């Protein structure tokens, strides 16, 4: 005990002397005491008691994450190399066959395409709509607070509950939407919006837009609050119209918020499951499958655990590559703008 | 001169900024937004007050007469309350675990100085990369076979908490770090241990942060579908599962489905109205983090 207590500080001291960037580098325990830095080191160093405290405090969270996050993810990677039906030992090693199988599978191709469609369509639809509604609700008007709450309601409902209501609304003939169309002398598609393969994905997309627009609005409203009034006021004094002020000043200043929102939206779109499962189960004729519905169908219904695991690994890799690319090329702009400010603090 | 006119203009300008708009177009646009946001919800609420015969005759009409039967059937049946109890229990266990373990882990990461601290924090940040979807199939096998927790509250709550922890720690760490060191030094001088400081001073002071992560964990658990879909059956189902199954089992009873769904919305909406600030703060925190 005493041994560690005296040596640990010196190790930290040398690490600290070597520069903060190397704080995590493990220095040899036999370092000589670091002379003048020793006093500072004693304050920075930690006793065994503190190490125990740290371990006790962090361990429960780590254990939970290892058992329920890391372990299942590693199992998924392992299973993706086997053919396994869920019972018996894991002996049927098939190498990359599961990956070859899904990467040449039309249903999985469709699933990836549908996910990418939702990623792009969500941003293309929700960014301008969300921005417009946020700018509208940002103008001083009566009932502003209530309006902001109402816009957020669809987002708060569970995807499943919203999905069940929309499923009824979209029913052919007896659904409210078709009934309204009929009043105007129009009629919905014979198979229903969700039953027609060419339309189903668009119908799902519209429901998703309804459900998630509130999130974009709320984040952008919050971003608008962060824009100093002085800037917009200065523009107004200089004779800029409301439109000019929004277009030239507010929207550019909202850039970081929009980019972050788009990132969250993209990550969510890649994992789309609940809404599709409720509205169409991936049908009709696999017109609305997503990677998540694909892997659940394979895993749960068909007990093809190897295929399902390979699909989940592919889903993870696609999401990771897209996230890193986005961070590297789009979000990094915000970070570089941020860093000098951070340095001053 | 300028010194005397300046405050005046500033007051006038502020008054202009606070003046409510009287532009009717603005209110028309706002009404359209309200109608589109609430329309589908209201169709469900109103549909619950109609009979199936009324719904068949005119799907888009108003109740004539208003019927309470659909709602009464749901309220007096055991099913709805059973699902609500399961949802509540699972959400509470998840929230409790997330807040407790999250604040415990965030404390040393925020306020102790030790080697490997950033590496440890990076482990939590890495956790953000793994959505439950990726792990769902093995999770099902691990929870049901290896742990024997299939079809139980804990079997759903433990994985939910594990997947919520990374974001919780990422949000809480700056919260805990922002509490001034002077307070900590004063407490230590007065003879408090670091754990004593944590328990008696840091926890109460970081209340708002814990409420934020707690509300996020609760709402996420309450709305979760995929994990309960795999793990829970029959009497153990949560409200989203119950609503989805009710809607497919009673496909012919549309009025009943509307009533059941409407009642299932109420807890989330009430919770949201009560916690609106916290939820919005949490979302913003998640964005900034």
């Amino acid at each position: 005990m005493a041994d560690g207590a005296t040596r640990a500080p010196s190790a930290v001291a040398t690490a600290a002397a070597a520069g903060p960037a190397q704080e995590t580098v493990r220095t040899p325990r036999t370092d000589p005491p670091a002379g003048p830095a020793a006093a500072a080191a004693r304050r920075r160093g930690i006793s065994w008691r503190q190490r125990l405290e740290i371990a006790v405090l962090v361990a429960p969270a780590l254990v939970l994450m290892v058992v329920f996050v890391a372990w299942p993810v590693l199992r998924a990677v392992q299973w993706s190399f086997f053919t396994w039906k869920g019972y018996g030992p894991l002996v049927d090693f098939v190498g990359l066959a599961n990956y070859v199988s899904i990467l040449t599978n039309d249903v999985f191709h469709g699933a990836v395409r549908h996910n990418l469609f939702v990623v792009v369509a969500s941003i293309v639809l929700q960014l301008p709509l969300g921005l417009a509604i946020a700018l509208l609700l940002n103008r001083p008007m009566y009932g502003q607070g209530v309006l902001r709450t109402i816009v957020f309601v669809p987002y708060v409902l569970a995807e499943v509950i919203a999905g069940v209501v929309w499923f009824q609304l979209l029913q052919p003939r007896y659904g409210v939407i078709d009934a309204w169309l009929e009043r105007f002398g129009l009629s919905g598609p014979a198979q229903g919006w969700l039953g027609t393969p060419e339309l189903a994905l668009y119908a799902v997309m519209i429901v998703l837009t309804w459900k998630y627009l509130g999130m974009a609005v709320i984040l952008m409203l919050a971003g608008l609050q962060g824009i100093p009034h002085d800037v917009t006021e200065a523009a107004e004094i200089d004779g800029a119209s409301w439109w000019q002020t929004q277009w030239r000043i507010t929207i550019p200043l909202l850039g970081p918020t929009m980019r972050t929102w788009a990132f969250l939206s993209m990550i969510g779109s890649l994992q789309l499951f609940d809404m599709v499962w409720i509205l169409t189960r991936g049908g009709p004729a696999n017109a609305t499958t997503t990677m998540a519905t694909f892997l659940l169908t394979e895993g749960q219904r068909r007990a093809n655990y190897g295929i399902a695991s390979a699909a989940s690994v592919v889903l993870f890799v696609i999401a990771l590559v897209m996230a890193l690319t986005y961070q590297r090329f789009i979000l990094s702009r915000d970070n570089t703008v941020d860093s000098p400010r951070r340095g001053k603090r | 001169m300028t010194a005397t006119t300046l405050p005046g203009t500033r007051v006038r300008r502020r008054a202009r900024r606070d003046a409510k708009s009287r532009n009717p177009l603005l209110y028309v646009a706002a009404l359209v937004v309200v109608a589109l946001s609430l329309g589908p919800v209201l169709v469900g609420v109103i549909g619950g007050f109609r009979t199936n015969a009324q719904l068949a005759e005119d799907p888009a009409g108003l109740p004539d007469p208003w019927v309470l039967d659909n709602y009464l059937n749901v309220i007096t049946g055991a099913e709805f309350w059973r699902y609500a109890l399961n949802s509540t229990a699972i959400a509470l266990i998840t929230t409790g675990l997330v807040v407790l373990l999250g604040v415990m882990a965030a404390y040393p990461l925020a306020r102790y100085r030790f080697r490997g601290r950033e590496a440890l924090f990076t482990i939590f940040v890495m956790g953000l990369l793994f959505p439950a979807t990726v792990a769902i199939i093995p999770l099902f096998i691990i929870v049901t076979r290896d742990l024997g927790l299939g079809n139980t509250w804990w079997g759903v709550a433990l994985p939910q908490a594990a997947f919520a922890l990374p974001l919780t720690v990422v949000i809480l760490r700056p919260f805990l770090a922002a509490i001034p060191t002077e307070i900590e030094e004063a407490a230590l001088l007065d003879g408090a241990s670091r754990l004593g400081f944590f328990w008696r001073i840091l926890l109460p002071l970081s209340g708002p942060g814990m409420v934020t992560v707690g509300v996020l964990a609760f709402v996420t658990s309450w709305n979760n579908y995929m994990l309960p879909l795999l793990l829970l059956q029959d009497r153990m189902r949560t409200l989203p599962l119950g609503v989805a199954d009710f809607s497919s089992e009673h496909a012919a009873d549309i009025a009943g489905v509307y009533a059941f769904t409407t009642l299932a919305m109420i807890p989330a909406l009430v919770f949201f109205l009560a916690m609106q600030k916290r939820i919005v703060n949490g979302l913003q925190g998640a964005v900034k983090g």
Side-chain angles (χ1 to χ4, degrees):
Chain A
M1 280 297 259
D3 191 41
T6 50
R7 273 181 194 161
S10 72
V12 176
T14 38
Q22 287 176 18
E23 237 172 6
T24 52
V25 176
R26 188 174 266 278
T27 6
R29 305 188 96 217
T30 46
D31 270 1
R42 207 152 292 139
R43 260 182 280 128
R44 287 186 159 213
I46 55 168
S47 67
W48 277 103
R49 188 187 145 73
Q50 287 194 354
R51 288 183 180 210
L52 189 69
E53 282 173 17
I54 294 168
V56 168
L57 288 167
V58 179
L62 277 185
V63 167
L64 203 66
M65 282 172 59
V66 165
V67 174
F68 293 103
V69 181
W71 182 237
V73 168
L74 290 175
R75 287 310 281 268
V77 174
Q78 186 196 17
W79 292 356
S80 71
F81 297 108
F82 289 84
T83 292
W84 192 49
K85 283 293 195 178
Y87 47 84
L90 202 60
V91 287
D92 197 355
F93 183 81
V94 294
L96 294 172
N98 289 327
Y99 290 96
V100 173
S101 158
I102 59 164
L103 292 177
T104 55
N105 180 336
D106 284 344
V107 178
F108 190 74
H109 284 180
V112 175
R113 260 201 320 277
H114 301 150
N115 272 118
L116 295 180
F117 169 79
V118 174
V119 168
V120 173
S122 296
I123 292 173
V124 168
L125 288 173
Q126 292 173 33
L127 191 63
L129 281 175
L131 188 60
I133 298 175
L135 289 177
L136 169 74
L137 296 188
N138 200 40
R139 305 198 66 169
M141 59 196 292
Y142 294 98
Q144 203 176 28
V146 182
L147 279 173
R148 290 182 183 186
T149 303
I150 287 174
V151 166
F152 207 40
V153 161
Y155 178 71
V156 179
L157 298 177
E159 220 172 275
V160 172
I161 292 180
V164 166
V165 173
W166 273 95
F167 180 78
Q168 296 297 342
L169 300 188
L170 289 165
Q171 282 305 299
R173 286 185 302 281
Y174 298 109
V176 172
I177 290 171
D178 278 11
W180 270 98
L181 285 178
E182 227 162 88
R183 286 190 187 183
F184 296 104
L186 301 163
S187 61
Q191 304 294 316
W193 301 96
L194 297 170
T196 312
E198 293 76 30
L199 294 175
L201 191 59
Y202 299 105
V204 170
M205 193 59 234
I206 286 171
V207 180
L208 284 173
T209 305
W210 175 81
K211 176 78 173 67
Y212 286 101
L213 194 55
M215 162 89 169
V217 173
I218 289 293
L219 287 180
M220 287 183 204
L221 270 175
L224 288 173
Q225 311 286 304
I227 295 175
H229 279 295
D230 313 22
V231 186
T232 46
E233 265 173 36
E236 277 167 36
I237 290 169
D238 289 347
S241 72
W242 185 83
W243 288 106
Q244 280 173 323
T245 312
Q246 306 308 314
W247 188 247
R248 298 280 167 93
I249 294 172
T250 310
I251 293 176
L253 282 175
L254 212 52
T257 308
M258 294 195 282
R259 285 192 278 275
T260 313
W261 165 81
F263 181 73
L264 294 179
S265 166
M266 178 181 88
I267 298 296
S269 301
L270 287 173
Q271 288 154 30
L272 176 62
F273 174 79
D274 296 6
M275 190 61 86
V276 169
W277 201 250
I278 295 298
L279 290 179
T280 63
R281 298 265 141 122
N286 292 321
T288 56
T289 42
T290 65
M291 291 187 275
T293 66
F294 178 87
L295 77 89
L296 225 83
T297 314
E298 288 296 329
Q300 278 317 105
R301 290 218 179 139
R302 309 202 177 130
N304 289 330
Y305 290 104
I307 299 272
S309 298
S312 63
V313 173
V314 172
L315 163 60
F316 173 67
V317 170
I318 291 178
L320 186 68
V321 168
M322 288 184 68
L324 291 178
T325 312
Y326 193 90
Q327 292 269 6
R328 171 77 184 72
F329 291 103
I330 297 178
L331 286 182
S332 60
R333 290 163 65 184
D334 302 331
N335 293 338
T336 45
V337 171
D338 253 22
S339 49
R341 252 187 284 144
R342 239 173 238 167
K344 264 181 230 162
R345 249 184 256 149
Chain B
M1 269 309 260
T2 42
T4 45
T5 51
L6 202 64
T9 48
R10 193 162 282 169
V11 167
R12 216 178 307 141
R13 221 184 293 154
R14 184 150 303 150
R16 178 151 52 88
R17 189 198 302 154
D18 290 345
K20 311 279 189 224
S21 171
R22 296 187 184 282
N23 183 348
L25 277 179
L26 223 56
Y27 291 93
V28 172
L31 269 182
V32 171
V33 171
V34 167
L36 289 175
S37 300
L38 287 188
V41 177
L42 288 180
V43 169
V45 174
I46 293 170
F49 286 109
R50 307 178 72 196
T51 63
N52 283 309
Q54 289 181 30
L55 280 168
E57 199 172 311
D58 178 11
L62 283 173
D64 178 34
W66 292 63
V67 219
L68 287 175
D69 289 2
N70 302 306
Y71 286 106
L72 288 177
N73 284 342
V74 177
I75 290 177
T76 52
E79 240 181 346
F80 177 82
W81 298 108
R82 180 75 214 174
Y83 300 152
L85 172 70
N86 292 333
S87 273
T88 310
I90 290 171
L92 284 178
I93 297 173
T94 306
T95 309
L97 281 171
V98 165
V99 172
L100 180 70
L101 301 191
V103 80
M104 277 167 67
Y107 173 51
L109 289 173
R111 305 195 70 94
Y112 282 51
R113 293 173 147 274
F114 59 95
R115 259 185 305 155
R117 186 178 75 170
E118 293 312 308
L120 193 58
F121 183 61
T122 307
I123 294 180
F124 285 97
V125 175
M126 296 266 290
L128 288 173
L129 295 174
F130 297 95
T133 318
V134 171
I136 196 86
I137 299 293
L139 255 183
F140 164 70
I141 303 275
I142 289 170
V143 170
T144 50
R145 296 201 200 154
D146 300 348
L147 300 175
L149 289 173
N151 214 15
T152 62
W153 291 342
W154 284 89
V156 177
L158 286 168
Q160 282 185 165
F163 277 94
L165 270 173
L167 183 62
T168 306
V169 171
V170 168
I171 294 181
L172 277 181
R173 185 164 111 136
F175 252 104
L176 298 186
I179 291 167
T181 37
E182 285 81 1
I183 297 181
E184 181 167 7
E185 277 160 17
L188 296 181
L189 272 180
D190 289 346
S193 68
R194 296 201 70 167
L195 287 182
F197 165 73
F198 170 67
W199 188 250
R200 295 211 216 128
I201 296 169
L202 204 69
L203 278 191
L205 281 180
S206 53
M210 292 197 297
V211 173
T212 296
V213 294
V215 168
L216 276 186
F218 192 93
V219 173
T220 311
S221 166
W222 186 270
N223 289 347
N224 197 2
Y225 179 58
M226 197 194 255
L227 198 60
L229 176 69
L230 295 190
L231 291 173
L232 303 176
Q233 298 93 35
D234 306 325
R235 280 171 51 76
M236 298 306 291
R237 283 177 293 180
T238 56
L239 268 179
L241 278 182
V243 168
D245 291 348
F246 190 94
S247 129
S248 45
E249 283 158 20
H250 302 75
D253 180 14
I254 300 174
V257 171
Y258 278 143
F260 198 100
T261 314
T262 300
L263 288 170
M265 286 177 194
I266 292 176
L269 287 181
V270 169
F271 187 74
F272 166 64
L273 287 178
M275 293 287 181
Q276 192 175 6
K277 266 229 167 72
R278 293 284 159 214
I279 294 176
V280 174
N281 282 350
L283 286 170
Q284 283 168 251
V287 170
K288 280 175 196 151

